[in-house]
Amino acid sequence: MSTKERLVEAGLRLLESEGPESLNARKLAAEIGASTMTVYTHFGGMAGLYEALVRQAFVQFAQALAAVERTDDAVSDLLTLGLAYRDFASASPQRYRLMFGVTAPGSGIAAPHDLTEEGTPSGIPEASETFGELRKAVQRALDAGRIDGDDSVAIAAQFWSMIHGFVLLEMSGFFGTEGGGVTAVLAPHATNLLMGLGDDQAAVARSAQSARERFGDATTTTRPGPPTADVRRGPRPRTDRKRT
Amino acid sequence: MSTKERLVEAGLRLLESEGPESLNARKLAAEIGASTMTVYTHFGGMAGLYEALVRQAFVQFAQALAAVERTDDAVSDLLTLGLAYRDFASASPQRYRLMFGVTAPGSGIAAPHDLTEEGTPSGIPEASETFGELRKAVQRALDAGRIDGDDSVAIAAQFWSMIHGFVLLEMSGFFGTEGGGVTAVLAPHATNLLMGLGDDQAAVARSAQSARERFGDATTTTRPGPPTADVRRGPRPRTDRKRT
DNA sequence: AACCCTGCCGTAACTATGTTATGGATAGCA
DNA sequence: TGCTATCCATAACATAGTTACGGCAGGGTT
């Protein structure tokens, strides 16, 4: 493995094990037994190294999503993709935050997406592959007639907003600390969105059950902890329409 | 105004005008004509100052949301709340990112929410007021029979996930740079979510139109820029249900 | 009136971290 | 052999968070 690759590998490993504050030139260089100059030889500076970390993280992300098996139930695939998405983010929240270019005061580090030329939606081309996986799954649900619409990009963006927001709120602790947010918030949200897009309630329920089984019980295995009454769980019962 | 208040005020002002990298002790102290020691006298350090900034920003946020008028159309109120939410975030993306405790590598600054004792959903009590505004609007929609369900907290969390994710993706540039994401992504998403929650299509359309009128044309006035083909715009036409 | 304590603040120094200047070592090649 | 490019280490520099120390004003105590 080249020095360049070792730096990126060590960066992602340290990020997960010791937190973002350990991502500094001296500690990183010591981790691979080199001097801080290697950062400048290979990446031009810490900003370049961060960008390389983001790219590598997005490669891992795309791989994790691509590993989700494609079945003949496009909605089940879409939901399983969502569970895999959330699992990837939960596995290393620091990595996920790094990927989406969040900045903090005091660090002279701009968001990676701000480093690129104007007009580019995202400076990280690898990021678009993540969205592409989502978009293709939506397109297959459209083709199967499960949901209505003519713009898979716009619909995929809705799913992306949903899960991106959920994941970030979850890792900020707004849904409690024991991972109950998936069944209490994310799953009902996905169900509601799919039904709003035209899918049938029973079909969604079947696909959701399928996704749960495909993904195993990994959806609730974030951290063990005492149950809280923060957010009640369970799917919301559907009733008849009450029109005003 | 006390030195403490002047520091917080200057911090939020500099954050908006010169970006997060200008939020350092020396520049901040110079801004109010003092030495860096004032930061330690009043806040114990930069971390304490950041926490004060977050608290103040959440106070502003709650005020902005509370300023939305409550009408007899609870869904219109909810949608208008969403537009105000997005507008607040767009007005100062750096402030919004600061509020939600995002961390960056290289800064020794932990997320504000991580600074508190274990088990607390959020270390910033002011943040819960924001969610409370959302939850009350959802409760009124439930009471009016517009949407179904028995847990306003879980439903409000879905709306929060939606708009939080949208806002962050939008400010990362994933929906283009000219603010078309609201009509292309956020509005359809809200519509779909509401319909999934049991509201009627025509009723949602009326409430959405009402919210648009109430909020004026502020929804598309982010930044002028060349049109992009990233995400197609315009509301997705609703078609008849295609049942399998 | 004299004394002392407390809070607020400035000066200066200390530490950590990103960065740069400089030079050496090695590989490849003409 | 000599040249060049690449990679890398040492050391120094710049910036920013932090701390040590002392001054000063205000108020209460003796």
Side-chain angles (χ1 to χ4, degrees):
Chain A
M1 192 158 43
S2 70
T3 302
K4 202 168 176 176
E5 290 167 327
R6 281 196 301 153
L7 263 181
V8 172
E9 186 274 335
L12 288 178
R13 183 162 38 80
L14 278 186
L15 177 64
E16 188 165 345
S17 63
E18 302 190 22
E21 68 278 358
S22 69
L23 275 192
N24 59 69
R26 282 168 176 81
K27 189 167 293 189
L28 222 41
E31 185 74 14
I32 67 165
S35 78
T36 61
M37 261 307 292
T38 59
V39 174
Y40 297 88
T41 299
H42 292 289
F43 300 99
M46 288 305 291
L49 175 57
Y50 290 136
E51 183 174 327
L53 289 176
V54 172
R55 288 178 189 275
Q56 179 60 22
F58 267 109
V59 168
Q60 294 174 358
F61 197 20
Q63 285 176 353
L65 296 186
V68 171
E69 196 179 4
R70 266 58 173 178
T71 68
D72 55 355
D73 184 343
V75 171
S76 171
D77 293 354
L78 189 56
L79 293 172
T80 308
L81 216 50
L83 291 177
Y85 187 114
R86 183 259 182 182
D87 215 48
F88 182 87
S90 297
S92 179
Q94 301 297 347
R95 178 180 57 184
Y96 188 81
R97 291 209 236 230
L98 175 69
M99 289 165 62
F100 284 91
V102 290
T103 56
S107 77
I109 305 154
H113 313 295
D114 294 345
L115 297 178
T116 64
E117 59 275 18
E118 278 285 340
T120 306
S122 169
I124 309 294
E126 286 84 351
S128 60
E129 293 187 27
T130 301
F131 183 71
E133 292 289 333
L134 211 54
R135 195 203 60 79
K136 282 185 289 185
V138 167
Q139 185 61 56
R140 289 179 53 238
L142 283 168
D143 294 342
R146 289 288 295 272
I147 59 176
D148 307 324
D150 59 351
D151 188 348
S152 64
V153 172
I155 296 173
Q158 296 173 39
F159 279 96
W160 201 10
S161 296
M162 170 184 74
I163 197 159
H164 184 58
F166 173 82
V167 155
L168 288 174
L169 290 178
E170 184 186 35
M171 62 180 59
S172 288
F174 285 105
F175 300 145
T177 52
E178 89 285 9
V182 173
T183 53
V185 178
L186 181 59
H189 191 170
T191 298
N192 290 328
L193 178 54
L194 284 165
M195 291 182 59
L197 286 165
D199 200 6
D200 179 75
Q201 179 182 357
V204 170
R206 279 195 302 272
S207 296
Q209 180 60 28
S210 159
R212 262 190 295 271
E213 291 169 359
R214 288 167 64 183
F215 205 74
D217 52 351
T219 65
T220 53
T221 57
T222 1
R223 274 173 296 184
T228 72
D230 184 28
V231 170
R232 283 189 286 281
R233 48 200 61 74
R236 177 189 34 75
R238 297 283 297 152
T239 64
D240 293 335
R241 208 70 340 118
K242 278 177 289 192
R243 290 302 324 290
T244 54
Chain B
M1 192 160 38
S2 72
T3 302
K4 204 167 176 176
E5 289 168 328
R6 282 196 302 152
L7 264 180
V8 171
E9 186 273 336
L12 287 178
R13 184 162 37 80
L14 279 185
L15 178 65
E16 188 166 345
S17 62
E18 303 189 21
E21 65 279 358
S22 70
L23 275 193
N24 59 70
R26 283 168 175 82
K27 189 167 295 190
L28 221 41
E31 186 73 14
I32 68 165
S35 77
T36 61
M37 262 307 293
T38 58
V39 174
Y40 298 88
T41 300
H42 293 288
F43 300 99
M46 288 304 291
L49 175 56
Y50 291 138
E51 183 175 328
L53 290 177
V54 172
R55 288 178 189 275
Q56 179 59 23
F58 267 108
V59 169
Q60 294 175 358
F61 197 20
Q63 285 176 353
L65 296 186
V68 171
E69 197 179 3
R70 268 56 174 178
T71 68
D72 55 355
D73 184 343
V75 171
S76 170
D77 292 354
L78 189 56
L79 293 173
T80 307
L81 216 49
L83 291 177
Y85 187 115
R86 182 259 183 184
D87 214 48
F88 183 87
S90 297
S92 180
Q94 303 297 348
R95 178 181 56 184
Y96 188 80
R97 292 210 235 230
L98 175 70
M99 288 166 62
F100 283 91
V102 291
T103 55
S107 77
I109 305 154
H113 313 295
D114 295 345
L115 296 178
T116 63
E117 60 274 18
E118 278 287 340
T120 305
S122 168
I124 308 293
E126 287 83 352
S128 59
E129 293 187 27
T130 301
F131 183 72
E133 291 291 332
L134 212 53
R135 195 203 61 76
K136 281 185 289 184
V138 167
Q139 185 61 55
R140 289 180 54 236
L142 284 169
D143 294 341
R146 288 289 295 271
I147 59 177
D148 307 323
D150 59 352
D151 187 349
S152 63
V153 172
I155 297 174
Q158 296 172 40
F159 278 97
W160 201 11
S161 297
M162 170 183 76
I163 198 159
H164 184 58
F166 172 83
V167 155
L168 287 175
L169 290 177
E170 184 187 34
M171 62 179 59
S172 288
F174 286 105
F175 301 145
T177 52
E178 88 285 10
V182 174
T183 53
V185 177
L186 181 59
H189 191 171
T191 298
N192 290 326
L193 178 54
L194 284 165
M195 290 182 58
L197 286 166
D199 201 5
D200 178 75
Q201 179 181 354
V204 171
R206 278 197 300 274
S207 295
Q209 180 61 27
S210 160
R212 261 190 296 272
E213 291 169 359
R214 287 168 64 182
F215 205 74
D217 53 351
T219 65
T220 52
T221 56
T222 359
R223 274 174 296 185
T228 71
D230 182 31
V231 170
R232 284 185 285 281
R233 51 201 58 76
R236 181 184 32 71
R238 296 284 300 158
T239 63
D240 295 334
R241 207 69 344 119
K242 279 177 290 192
R243 296 298 326 288
T244 53

